[in-house]
Amino acid sequence: MRKGHEERHRINTIGWLRAAVLGANDGIISTASLIVGVASAHAEHSHLVLTGLAGLVAGAMSMATGEYVSVSSQADTEKAALAEEKAELDADGAREQRELAGIYVRRGLDMALAKQVAQALMAHDALGAHARDELGISEVTTAKPLQAALASACSFSAGAALPLIVAALAPQKWVAAGIAVTALASLAILGGLAARVGGAKVGPGILRVAFWSALSMGLASAVGAIFGTN
């Protein structure tokens, strides 16, 4: 017996892809800009590595904290909405069934079929049906704070590790240039990969990330050169 055909769409990867690429981009840009700025201030080589390490740890924790707080707020909102919907189901299930049928009518079903679908789905899982079709909450979209925080911290750390490694291995006089080149190349690859997987044009994705990253490192270098000491 043949199994049902399961389609895969690019849109299904956009959520995790965007979060992973954003975290890695932040890690590369912020850490690279930080080290380049300090290098332009003529700091010692050991100070550059320490700056990069501190930037990695601080940035990863900042990303994790921000993501945890944000997604926790979303989770609290979802729980409150589900509790309210459950109370409405307990108070007047018939009215909630008519409301669900109305949603299906607006999506294109005739009233008779919409009523049958609403009745069948509510008999199977009333709260789940209303959560999915009325509130837009499903297992795929449900907020997971710890998972989001860990993913953000890991992706940021992975990105920040690149300029940190370059700073540790490159001679001091080549640190700024080495970080700038490797960071821009890596960011261009990430931008192109994200665009390709998402089905968008690769060129604009590369240009956007390259331009803003170069601007960030350029400004950081200018600040270091202006306020640094020989």
Side-chain angles (χ1 to χ4, degrees), residues 75-173:
D76 291 341
T77 301
E78 290 177 355
K79 290 178 181 178
L82 289 173
E84 182 180 359
E85 191 63 34
K86 186 176 186 305
E88 292 175 354
L89 285 167
D90 293 339
D92 193 348
R95 184 179 67 83
E96 292 300 306
Q97 184 172 314
R98 292 193 298 270
E99 183 179 18
L100 194 61
I103 292 173
Y104 298 144
V105 169
R106 290 192 294 274
R107 292 182 181 177
L109 299 183
D110 61 71
M111 180 56 75
L113 180 57
K115 288 181 178 179
Q116 292 178 5
V117 173
Q119 182 178 10
L121 290 177
M122 287 189 65
H124 174 68
D125 182 5
L127 183 58
H130 280 270
R132 180 179 60 253
D133 295 322
E134 181 182 350
L135 303 177
I137 300 173
S138 67
E139 292 183 358
V140 175
T141 61
T142 297
K144 301 177 179 66
L146 286 175
Q147 183 185 71
L150 181 61
S152 294
C154 289
S155 60
F156 183 95
S157 299
L162 174 67
L164 179 58
I165 291 172
V166 174
L169 298 180
Q172 183 169 358
K173 65 178 181 178

Side-chain angles (χ1 to χ4, degrees), residues 4 9 25 36 38 40 66 81 88 101 108 132 138 149 159 175-176 178 181 198-199 201 205 214:
H9 299 281
N25 281 354
V36 167
V38 176
S40 298
E88 292 175 354
R132 180 179 60 253
S138 67
V175 167
V181 171
K201 293 182 178 180

